[in-house]
Amino acid sequence: MKYNFLGNTGLLVSELCFGTMTFGGKGFWEAVGSTQQNEVNQLMKTVVDAGINFIDTANVYSFGESEKLLGQSLKDLNLNRNELVIATKVRGLINESPNGQGLSRYHIFNSVDESLQRLQLDHIDILYVHGVDYKTPVEEIMRALNDIVLTGKVRYVAVCNWPAWMVMKAQGIAERHGWNKFIGLQYFYSLAGRDIEREIVPMAEDQNLSIMPWSPLAGGFLSGKFTRNNETSISGSRRENFDFPPINKDKTYDIVDVITKIGKEHNVSAAQIALAWVRHQKSITSTIIGAKNNEQLNDNIESTKIVLSTEELQKIETVSALTAEYPAWMLERQSGNRPKN
């Protein structure tokens, strides 16, 4: 397992991060997974034995059950807390009370305390804001995040799913006040969804922010199970009841054809090729993988051994490339005589 620095923090995290969205299975989360304690413990043992030190959860996953199961597994397996980087999130609807969601100071502080109780921990290594809260000023959000770090309950703060302009606004506010800034970004990124290459990736490179891609297999669509000639395979899968994240399925079938062929040449699954491609991309620090069982987990872990050739990367690039949008095509046209590199 390779380890990469998290932004400019000096903290090393494994190139794979284990995501726990499949833990619990409460409510609509059952469509994603319903892994219970015995299976959770087996998965966590496999994770740690493979050298993965980065674990990702969220307070909303199965309405807190994922955090509980993860926390209990740390106890059951007697894992060394100081050798793990634990991340969780705040923003989503966790209960039906008037302040049961959002990024107000009130909700952030309450949510951190509740997450720590469920996790059975005394601190969270990385706290992500899980999305945008248009009702709370960015300055209040950043002040609250800075203050929660100063309590010692959180070590670092990071962000999920914000537009690039808002991340930069937040970073500017934090810089002006001398507050803790975001150190990383968790965004959807896969061969079937390369949208962050337009604004998020250039921002991350400029600001030395780590990127932790979620759903690198596009909700399982890049696993190789789904092909244009076998659409019935979606029946009974996660995609049947939880068709997320949204993708261009017709284009993705073309991508699956290419990575399946490359996978056969390497004698590995299409999923491993899809994960290897993400790992090869700029600014990617740790790719978040999830699994319902050890077979899936081990298959994902094996992807770290794959090195794609320049020719293979070009084939994948061609079939999955983004369509140029304005102002990108204008920037390319106008900068021909003054390239950025």
Side-chain angles (χ1 to χ4, degrees):
M1 187 64 59
K2 181 183 175 184
Y3 299 88
N4 299 316
F5 284 107
L6 188 68
N8 59 2
T9 65
L11 177 67
L12 284 164
V13 295
S14 49
E15 60 186 322
L16 293 181
C17 173
F18 183 55
T20 66
M21 194 166 65
T22 61
F23 292 3
K26 280 192 174 181
F28 74 89
W29 295 100
E30 186 177 2
V32 179
S34 56
T35 311
Q36 298 303 311
Q37 196 67 63
N38 287 341
E39 293 78 16
V40 166
N41 292 355
Q42 291 173 20
L43 291 172
M44 284 296 297
K45 184 178 188 308
T46 299
V47 162
V48 173
D49 288 347
I52 295 173
N53 73 343
F54 197 4
I55 315 296
D56 181 82
T57 188
N59 59 348
V60 293
Y61 294 166
S62 287
F63 309 104
E65 194 65 19
S66 174
E67 289 181 326
K68 287 181 181 178
L69 291 164
L70 172 59
Q72 189 58 47
S73 74
L74 302 181
K75 301 289 185 181
D76 291 348
L77 297 173
N78 196 29
L79 297 178
N80 187 340
R81 171 67 179 94
N82 293 327
E83 293 182 357
L84 297 174
V85 178
I86 308 293
T88 193
K89 308 179 186 75
V90 59
R91 160 59 181 93
L93 181 67
I94 195 66
N95 61 61
E96 297 295 337
S97 69
N99 291 297
Q101 63 177 310
L103 293 173
S104 67
R105 181 184 186 88
Y106 180 97
H107 185 69
I108 288 172
F109 272 70
N110 285 352
S111 291
V112 166
D113 284 341
E114 291 166 1
S115 287
L116 289 172
Q117 185 176 16
R118 287 189 289 265
L119 288 164
Q120 303 183 60
L121 299 176
D122 61 5
H123 74 274
I124 295 160
D125 295 303
I126 302 171
L127 178 69
Y128 290 97
V129 291
H130 207 170
V132 172
D133 176 4
Y134 289 115
K135 293 298 184 181
T136 305
V138 174
E139 185 158 358
E140 177 177 339
I141 295 169
M142 297 310 293
R143 175 63 183 269
L145 292 174
N146 179 71
D147 290 351
I148 201 72
V149 170
L150 296 182
T151 67
K153 295 177 181 179
V154 170
R155 298 278 171 87
Y156 302 100
V157 291
V159 59
C160 306
N161 308 320
W162 281 20
W165 70 264
M166 188 175 286
V167 175
M168 286 306 302
K169 179 179 180 178
Q171 297 294 76
I173 289 171
E175 173 111 6
R176 185 172 73 244
H177 291 288
W179 297 340
N180 286 275
K181 298 195 292 186
F182 293 135
I183 51 83
L185 314 164
Q186 189 177 136
Y187 284 71
F188 170 49
Y189 188 44
S190 76
L191 281 169
R194 295 176 56 179
D195 306 80
I196 66 170
E197 293 176 10
R198 302 191 193 280
E199 300 287 345
I200 301 296
V201 171
M203 178 192 68
E205 292 174 353
D206 181 70
Q207 297 295 309
N208 195 18
L209 291 165
S210 286
I211 298 177
M212 279 64 73
W214 58 261
S215 203
L217 296 180
F221 212 93
L222 295 170
S223 65
K225 294 184 296 183
F226 311 133
T227 64
R228 184 176 281 105
N229 297 324
N230 188 28
E231 292 190 28
T232 56
S233 61
I234 293 177
S235 177
S237 73
R238 162 182 163 181
R239 279 271 176 187
E240 182 178 26
N241 298 310
F242 191 62
D243 198 14
F244 182 84
I247 58 173
N248 180 335
K249 292 178 182 174
D250 192 54
K251 180 179 180 179
T252 304
Y253 285 134
D254 291 338
I255 296 169
V256 170
D257 289 342
V258 171
I259 62 175
T260 298
K261 183 176 180 181
I262 293 174
K264 288 179 179 177
E265 293 168 357
H266 284 262
N267 197 30
V268 301
S269 67
Q272 287 188 37
I273 299 300
L275 290 171
W277 177 86
V278 172
R279 198 184 76 248
H280 277 72
Q281 304 311 299
K282 294 185 296 184
S283 298
I284 303 305
T285 297
S286 186
T287 305
I288 301 170
I289 59 170
K292 296 179 182 179
N293 54 60
N294 263 321
E295 182 181 1
Q296 289 180 348
L297 179 56
N298 282 317
D299 189 72
N300 289 347
I301 291 171
E302 287 295 307
S303 71
T304 60
K305 299 177 182 178
I306 298 172
V307 178
L308 297 172
S309 69
T310 301
E311 182 182 0
E312 289 169 335
L313 287 169
Q314 185 56 52
K315 288 179 181 178
I316 296 171
E317 168 68 26
T318 300
V319 74
S320 65
L322 289 172
T323 301
E325 292 185 351
Y326 181 81
W329 54 258
M330 182 59 86
L331 296 176
E332 183 178 353
R333 175 183 288 264
Q334 291 180 323
S335 63
N337 60 345
R338 292 178 69 88
K340 63 180 180 179
N341 296 324

